[in-house]
């Protein structure tokens, strides 16, 4: 702006060498030399003027260089000063100071002097203010538009909103126009429906349609030029579930299919995710599950574990959707339990049967069937339609002196379940005296083919007696009799009862039940055989008895301690009989008879704190009706009722259902009201709040009721409460989920607005119906638009919009400048809803051009003030606009800047000439705030201003009440209230204290509250004991207050004063394990001095050991019983049980937890089955322990079989695994390419349910192909397998596996499993194989897809080890022969030398002196005798001797025949070995080390001849040789060494073969 101190333009250039860099400046192409600084880097303009505006360009170049120069430029715009001229004139409606038609841009007027531009504003009703500016101030040169951030290619889901960005710069501010092809969508003068031009220049499309896909162009233009940018928009069709899953009920073992059909954009990929109970379902984890490509989930072999809510979730870039459905698996009901038959104590021919309810198989029971066996006869149906809710039945009309046995079964919609165990035989006693039949109405004898019939009617029951017909008229075997009864004129409506024949009695008896009271009937009897019925007896006409009506206690209320107020149910013909007595004391009975006009009766004169039994009966002319009784305690209020049970739903309509229910515990008084609560499901989720939807009062005997006012096509759950004089019971268990039927919409679309779009179109907009108002299938919801000329009944047109989410519509082809009336209605698949209120709109006049408004804001008023909730910052400015020669005002909020630039930050519509202030709302009371402001113009945002001073809002009354934690009687006249204060941010100031309000609850009127103030803000309890009366009920409320005021009161809490809670827990709690799911708990009451009143019941807390927070449950007994049976527990689980007593004042302390454990039960199924190392013939199977072992797992049973027979044989294999064994096993004997079914179950006391899975042997898809056939090379005791790589499959090979099998067994097993992928050979030691067994080998490649196909088997090879060459037999033979020859030569040489030196030396004793050398030679060169081949003996025993590193070898022992040795000069004593000599490792030591080697020779006496080398006979010349004279010099030989006396077998080479 003119007057600024200076302006600096900077040009930063980078080049090398920097000394040669040259920068020049130009303005509009003219060289600039002034104001250059920093080597031309900066251009400074001091005191800029308007004439300094222009385009400045800097050019950088390198001197003496051929490199091209670079340049950059920018616009400088200098604004002129404002010149003000204040003109004052009276305000007129129009043509105030200058004619309106002289308006031009910026709402600046041209005056008659043509030298000033003015703006005139009417400040007061009599005053005009004009501001005039010199035209020279607006002569600056503009800046061409530039799109700084253009649109980008985007994608959007149909029905969603999207913004295409287009940010621009330029002066003056460019005008933005958005186009699609040649169509203008939005600009300053055009605004099509759904297309909104935002302040930033971006385009908002809301909502988007499929037709919006295409190329969009953002065009920015001003007086300096045009710039544009384009982008493509893709609109995806929304992904929706059009075929959602439906609730299903299937029979166990059958298939279930949960559909999930989806419509989506063809270019979008959709993913289906199924969940059950919030957990994702892994379809691959079980072969029973299968997911189709269309999203359908198939479940085969359904069982009870499949029951639950299934949710189909669809995810895609085109949107997400989800639907859910419930699957119920039905099965046959279980057999009833504990069927007990007992003889009736009142009726001799009657047996009472009782049983426990059977499991219904997840389907409501239809009936029970009772069968009977009489005297061990075959079973026959006795009662075929017993009420499914019944747990007992009375069987009458039995024959004395006969034995009966009964059995029972349950029936549901699946079929008939198993029969229960038979009862014990029940024999009826023989009747000594026939009982007199009473109330006989008539006795008539009639002839029925020789039969005598007697008909006796007793109200609803008809008794027949008749005599059997003569056998000659039966014409066959008598199958029984039929008793018939019908009303006159209703012969077609016959009541028929079939009676079995009785061949022992001459007179037969039968009954017809269910007849109407005091009604005439025709009756007859007939006999029937197998071919058909015989003739009827003559009909007899008779009438049933008149009945005595009955009354029931309708309302029982306590008014005082000794008064009871009774209200009968209905008015009777005669009156009422009322009596009361002390409990079990009939001598205190008091009886009164009341007329029929009596509607209530007050019983007085009762004793306080006494239990009474009150009976009321209606009276008619026939006598007294049924008694209705109630037991109450005077002075002690009745108890809280229990919740209703067995809620069933029927008669479902769009807005109502019928509920059937079974009343709960009535609290010892009559039920005065039934409450029905409903939970809406599906709008937000499953955890919606329960809302009261129906009340039924003054119907204590109601067993069903109709609930009205429901929403159509809505999922509901219902629960009930019952109310007596004490209060409301806890809610019942929720009912099953139901959906009401469809109905037309109830409401019309809201907020209908109609705007002019063009000369021939109107733009209609409305708020679509919320989802819960569809009242039908959302896919069929749409809208109908009806329009016509205003005031014209003819020419009514309509248009259908099928999209339920559509919110606008353009009505086209209308007439110009015409007013129309438009209304909208919604419709669904059932029908249309109501029409909306009509709205009017007029089309635009033909040829009219809308004015383009600009404005120059003027600061008018600034005001700041503070209140308790908000700080008001108001910036009010005024503008005027011209439209059809009319002046009007609008108000905008601006920020005023000292340079008289006005920047808009928001808009507030003006109403007439009234200016609306802008408030900063939703601030918190008593909170400090600071504010700061920033400005925005066409160029951008300014910095934030300095923060304002801190402003604290005022205090206000608290918004929230404290939470009452407990209200318990502390003494007989006081209660203890504990609470939690509200959060600090809800107090809205400084907390000063609490106020406790209490009042006595009276049934006739309400008393005012008494207030007690607690001035301590930190208190969280208070004892209230002012004016509290004993045996009264009080209501307690609580609130907080600060300096401003008091907050809301808390929800009321009721407490009974007069009795304190028990101060001691129950004593001697004990637990007895009854079954696997039941514990019997017993205890003693608290000490009398600690009971503080009558014990009304006990609360039993029980939880699994060490899991109290997760598993704690509560069982409440509303009677002072001292035992309870805890059922539905987990088998073989430790439970901790604690008992607390309660009275009217509240709960006492708990007893110390007592520990008990349920018995063992069948375990649950194993948690999983996993397969690994799957090959063509084997697989590793592992499994997990049961999640609920329910005992000590003793083992597992694994069963597997092929799904289809293999070679015509289906072999079932069962394997029992001990519980201590590993949880896996190797299965080998499988066939290639066969699918096997594996089943496993765990065992404790018995086997539990099984888990199963299927697996197909062989390589899977993507697995590697077979490697090349392996070949084997052998090196000593090692084998090396070589193979070549095969097809790797869809993934690289990760490792190799070697399988081996004995050739005689044929079962492959993995030998080596982790061979690196780079290796194509492997060496294994023969020690890993069984010696002497022949093996085959093959190789398998493994990748991420699993085991591949095996290679062809290798050639068979034996695992026999190869011995060293010196252990081979041939080598031993060679060595033996060579050694023998050497020894013989040596002996020969020694003998010759010995003969030559024999007599060279003589000793004095005549002995032979041997040369030491001779002795050495003799002792070292002795040879063993040569074994005789005929004396060899081979043993079958293998002897393995290892020497040092020699490997074991097989050998046979060799036994040599002894032979005589020739004379030698070496004796046995002369041959010795050095024991310290180190043995040399060689084949020689292999033999020399044998000790028997040294004993292989024995010296013989000189002259003894040697026997034949290979003979076995003794020599015959021994005696002769002994008789010969001996030479003088002879060696002495002991007798033991003679050949004749010591034939010791000479041992040869022990290892010689």
């Amino acid at each position: 702006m003119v007057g600024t101190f200076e302006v600096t333009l900077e040009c930063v250039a980078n080049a090398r060498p920097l000394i040669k860099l040259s920068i020049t400046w130009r303005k509009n192409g003219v060289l600039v030399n002034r104001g250059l600084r920093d080597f031309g880097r900066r251009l400074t303009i001091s005191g800029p003027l308007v004439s300094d505006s222009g385009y400045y360009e800097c050019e950088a170049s390198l001197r003496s260089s051929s490199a091209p120069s670079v340049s950059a430029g920018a616009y400088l715009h200098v604004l002129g000063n404002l010149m003000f001229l204040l003109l004052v004139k009276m305000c007129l409606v129009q043509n105030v100071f200058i004619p309106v038609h002289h308006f031009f841009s910026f709402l600046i007027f041209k005056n008659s002097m043509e030298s000033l531009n003015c703006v005139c504003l009417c400040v007061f009703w009599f005053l005009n203010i004009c501001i005039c500016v010199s035209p020279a101030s607006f002569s600056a040169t503009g800046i061409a538009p530039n799109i700084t951030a253009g649109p980008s290619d985007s994608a959007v889901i149909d029905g969603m909103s999207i913004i295409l960005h287009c940010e621009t710069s330029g002066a003056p501010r460019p005008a933005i126009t958005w186009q699609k092809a040649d169509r203008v969508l939005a600009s300053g003068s055009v605004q099509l429906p759904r297309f909104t031009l935002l302040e930033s220049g971006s385009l908002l499309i809301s909502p988007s349609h499929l037709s919006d896909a295409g190329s969009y162009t953002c065009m920015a233009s001003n007086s300096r030029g045009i710039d544009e940018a384009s982008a493509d928009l893709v609109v995806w069709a929304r992904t929706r579930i059009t075929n959602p899953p439906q609730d299903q009920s299937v029979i166990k073992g059958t298939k279930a299919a949960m559909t999930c059909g989806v419509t989506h954009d063809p270019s979008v990929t959709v993913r289906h995710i199924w969940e059950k109970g919030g957990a994702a379902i892994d379809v691959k984890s079980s072969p029973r599950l299968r997911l189709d490509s269309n999203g359908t989930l198939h479940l085969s072999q359904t069982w009870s574990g499949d029951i639950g809510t299934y949710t189909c979730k669809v995810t895609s870039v085109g949107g997400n959707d989800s639907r859910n459905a419930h699957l119920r698996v039905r099965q046959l009901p279980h057999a009833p339990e504990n069927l007990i038959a007992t003889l009736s104590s009142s009726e001799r021919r009657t047996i009472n049967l009782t049983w426990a309810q059977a499991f219904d198989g997840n389907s409501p029971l239809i009936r029970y069937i009772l069968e009977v066996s009489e005297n061990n006869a075959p079973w026959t149906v006795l009662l075929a339609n017993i009420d499914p809710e019944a747990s007992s039945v009375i069987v009458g009309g039995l024959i004395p002196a006969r034995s009966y046995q009964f059995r029972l079964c349950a029936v549901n919609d699946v079929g008939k379940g198993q029969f229960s165990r038979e009862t014990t035989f029940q024999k009826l006693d023989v009747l000594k005296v026939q009982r007199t039949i009473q109330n006989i109405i008539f006795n008539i004898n009639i002839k029925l083919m020789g039969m005598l019939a007697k008909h006796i009617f007793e109200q609803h029951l008809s008794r027949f007696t008749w005599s059997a017909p003569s056998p000659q008229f039966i014409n066959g075997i008598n199958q029984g009799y039929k008793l018939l009864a019908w009303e006159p004129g209703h012969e077609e409506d016959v009541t028929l009862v079939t009676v079995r024949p009785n061949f022992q009695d001459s007179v037969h008896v039968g009954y017809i039940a269910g007849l109407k009271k005091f009604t005439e009937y025709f009756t007859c009897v007939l006999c029937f055989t197998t071919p058909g019925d015989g003739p009827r007896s003559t009909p007899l006409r008779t009438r049933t008895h008149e009945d005595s009506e009955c009354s029931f206690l309708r309302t029982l209320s306590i008014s005082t301690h000794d008064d009871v107020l009774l209200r009968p149910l209905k008015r009777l013909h005669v009156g009422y009989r009322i009596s009361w007595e002390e409990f079990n004391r009939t001598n205190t009975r008091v009886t009164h008879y009341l007329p029929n006009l009596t509607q209530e009766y007050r019983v007085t004169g009762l004793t306080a704190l006494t239990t009474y039994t009150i009976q009321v009966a209606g009276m008619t002319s026939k006598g007294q009706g049924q008694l209705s009784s109630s037991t109450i305690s005077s002075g002690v209020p009745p108890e809280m009722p229990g919740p209703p049970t067995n809620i069933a739903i029927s008669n479902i309509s769009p807005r109502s259902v019928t509920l059937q229910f079974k009343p709960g515990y009535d609290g010892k008084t009559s039920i005065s009201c039934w409450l029905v609560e409903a939970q809406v499901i599906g709008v937000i989720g499953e955890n919606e709040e329960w809302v009261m939807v129906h009340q039924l009062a003054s119907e204590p005997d109601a067993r069903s009721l109709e609930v009205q006012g429901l929403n159509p096509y809505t999922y509901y759950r219902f629960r009930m409460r019952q109310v007596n004089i004490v209060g409301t019971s806890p809610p019942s268990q929720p009912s099953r989920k139901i959906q009401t039927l469809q109905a037309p919409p109830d409401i019309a679309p809201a907020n209908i607005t109609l705007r002019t779009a063009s000369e021939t179109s109107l733009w209609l907009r409305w708020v679509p119906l919320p989802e819960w108002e569809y009242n039908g299938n959302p896919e069929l919801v749409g809208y109908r638009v009806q329009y016509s000329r205003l005031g014209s009944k003819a020419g009514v047109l309509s248009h259908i919009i099928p999209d339920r989410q559509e919110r606008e519509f353009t009505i086209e082809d209308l007439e110009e400048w015409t007013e129309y009336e438009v209304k909208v209605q919604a419709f669904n698949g059932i029908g249309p809803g109501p029409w909306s209120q009509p709205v009017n709109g007029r089309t635009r006049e033909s040829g009219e051009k809308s004015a383009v408004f600009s404005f120059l804001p003027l600061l008018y008023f600034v005001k700041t003030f503070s209140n308790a909730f908000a700080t008001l910052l108001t910036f009010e400015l005024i503008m005027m606009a011209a439209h059809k020669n009319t002046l009007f005002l609008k108000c905008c909020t601006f920020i005023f800047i000292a340079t008289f630039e006005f920047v808009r930050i928001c808009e507030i519509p003006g109403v007439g000439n009234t200016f609306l202030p802008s408030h900063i709302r939703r601030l918190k009371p008593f909170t400090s705030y600071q504010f700061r402001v920033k400005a925005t113009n066409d160029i951008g945002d300014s910095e934030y201003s300095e923060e304002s001073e801190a402003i604290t809002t005022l205090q206000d009354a608290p918004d929230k009440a404290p939470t009452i934690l407990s209200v318990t009687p502390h003494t007989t006249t006081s209660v203890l209230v504990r609470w939690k204060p509200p959060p600090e941010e809800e107090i809205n100031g400084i907390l000063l204290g609490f106020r406790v309000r209490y009042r006595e609850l009276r049934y006739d009127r309400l008393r005012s509250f008494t207030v007690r103030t607690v001035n301590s803000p930190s208190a969280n309890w208070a004892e209230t004991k002012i004016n509290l009366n004993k045996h009264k009920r009080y209501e307690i409320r609580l609130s907080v207050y600060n300096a401003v005021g008091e907050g809301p009161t808390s929800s009321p809490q009721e407490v009974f004063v007069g009795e304190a809670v028990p101060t001691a827990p129950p004593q001697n709690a004990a637990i007895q394990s009854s079954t696997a799911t039941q514990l019997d708990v017993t205890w003693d009451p608290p000490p009398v001095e600690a009971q503080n009143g009558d014990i009304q019941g006990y609360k039993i807390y029980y939880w699994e050991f060490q899991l109290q927070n997760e598993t704690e449950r509560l069982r409440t007994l509303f009677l002072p019983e001292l035992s309870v049976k805890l059922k539905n527990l987990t088998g073989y689980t430790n439970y901790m049980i604690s008992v607390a007593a309660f009275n009217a004042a509240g709960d006492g302390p708990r007893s110390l937890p007592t520990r008990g454990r349920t018995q063992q039960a069948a375990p649950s199924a194993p948690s999983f089955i996993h397969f690994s190392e799957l090959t063509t013939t084997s697989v590793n199977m592992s499994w997990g322990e049961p999640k609920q072992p329910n005992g000590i797992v003793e083992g597992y049973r694994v069963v597997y079989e092929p799904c289809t027979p293999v070679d015509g044989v289906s072999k079932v294999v069962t394997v029992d695994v001990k519980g201590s064994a590993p949880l896996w096993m190797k299965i080998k004997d499988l066939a290639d390419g066969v699918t096997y079914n594996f089943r496993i179950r765990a065992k404790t006391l018995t086997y539990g349910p099984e888990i199963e899975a299927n697996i197909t042997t062989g390589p899977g898809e993507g697995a590697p192909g077979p490697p090349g056939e392996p070949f084997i090379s052998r090196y000593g005791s090692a084998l090396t397998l070589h193979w070549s790589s095969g097809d790797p499959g869809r993934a690289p090979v990760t490792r190799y596996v070697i399988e081996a099998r004995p050739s005689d067994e044929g079962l492959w097993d993995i030998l080596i499993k982790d061979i690196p992928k780079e290796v194509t050979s492997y060496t294994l030691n023969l020690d890993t194989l069984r010696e002497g067994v022949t093996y085959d080998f093959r190789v398998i490649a493994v990748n991420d897809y699993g085991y591949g196909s095996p290679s062809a088997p290798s050639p068979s090879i034996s695992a026999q080890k190869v011995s060293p060459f010196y252990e081979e037999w041939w080598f031993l033979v060679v060595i033996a022969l060579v050694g023998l020859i050497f020894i013989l030569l040596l002996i020969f040489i020694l003998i010759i030398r010995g003969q030559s030196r024999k007599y060279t030396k003589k000793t004095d004793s005549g002995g032979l002196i041997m040369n030491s050398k001779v002795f050495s030679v003799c002792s070292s060169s002795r040879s063993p005798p040569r074994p005789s081949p005929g004396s060899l003996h081979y043993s079958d025993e293998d002897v393995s001797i290892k020497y040092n590193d020699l490997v074991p070898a097989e050998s046979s022992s060799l036994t040599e025949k002894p032979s005589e040795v020739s004379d030698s000069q070496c004796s046995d004593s002369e041959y010795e070995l050095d024991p310290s000599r180190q043995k040399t490792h060689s084949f020689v030591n292999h033999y020399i080390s044998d000790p028997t080697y040294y004993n292989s020779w024995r010296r013989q006496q000189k002259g003894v001849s040697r026997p034949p080398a290979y003979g076995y006979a003794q020599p015959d010349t021994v005696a002769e040789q002994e008789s010969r004279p001996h030479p003088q010099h002879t060696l002495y030989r002991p007798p033991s060494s003679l050949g004749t006396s010591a034939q010791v077998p000479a041992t040869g080479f022990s290892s010689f073969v």
Side-chain angles (χ1 to χ4, degrees), residues 966-985:
S966 64
V967 179
T968 55
H970 190 55
T971 65
T972 56
T973 58
S974 66
V975 296
L976 186 64
V977 184
R978 296 186 181 274
W979 64 80
K980 178 182 178 182
E984 184 178 355
E985 59 270 14

Side-chain angles (χ1 to χ4, degrees), residues 230 348 397 648 905 1006 1040 1093 1133 1273:
S230 299
R348 294 191 178 183
I905 61 173
L1006 291 178
V1040 296
T1133 303
S1273 60

Side-chain angles (χ1 to χ4, degrees), residues 1461-1479:
V1461 184
S1462 61
D1463 295 339
S1464 175
Q1465 295 181 358
C1466 299
S1467 64
D1468 289 341
S1469 61
E1470 295 170 349
Y1471 185 85
E1472 295 180 358
L1473 290 177
D1474 185 7
S1476 62
R1477 180 181 178 183
Q1478 182 69 28
K1479 294 181 181 180

Side-chain angles (χ1 to χ4, degrees), residues 333-339 354-359 365 368-369 407-411 417-421:
H334 290 188
E337 300 177 352
N338 301 330
L339 180 62
T354 60
W355 63 87
Q357 289 283 351
F359 171 59
L365 296 181
Y368 286 103
I369 299 176
R407 67 181 184 182
L408 188 71
C409 73
V411 181
Q418 295 182 350
F419 279 96
S420 65
R421 292 185 178 180

Side-chain angles (χ1 to χ4, degrees), residues 1265-1283:
E1269 179 179 352
F1271 65 92
I1272 302 175
S1273 60
R1274 183 167 184 166
Y1275 301 95
S1277 62
L1279 297 177
T1280 301
L1281 274 73
H1282 304 268
W1283 65 89

Side-chain angles (χ1 to χ4, degrees), residues 555-567 600-606 614 632-638 669 725 1000-1005 1031-1032:
T555 304
L556 173 62
S557 61
I558 306 298
S559 58
T560 63
H561 292 295
D562 53 358
D563 292 350
V564 177
L565 183 64
L566 303 172
R567 293 191 179 92
E600 64 181 33
Y601 183 78
R602 188 177 301 275
V603 180
T604 59
L606 303 181
I614 302 176
I632 61 99
S633 295
S634 61
V636 177
T669 183
I725 194 63
E1000 180 185 347
L1001 293 177
R1002 300 293 297 262
Y1003 299 113
D1004 52 350
R1005 65 185 184 276
H1031 305 296
K1032 299 294 182 181

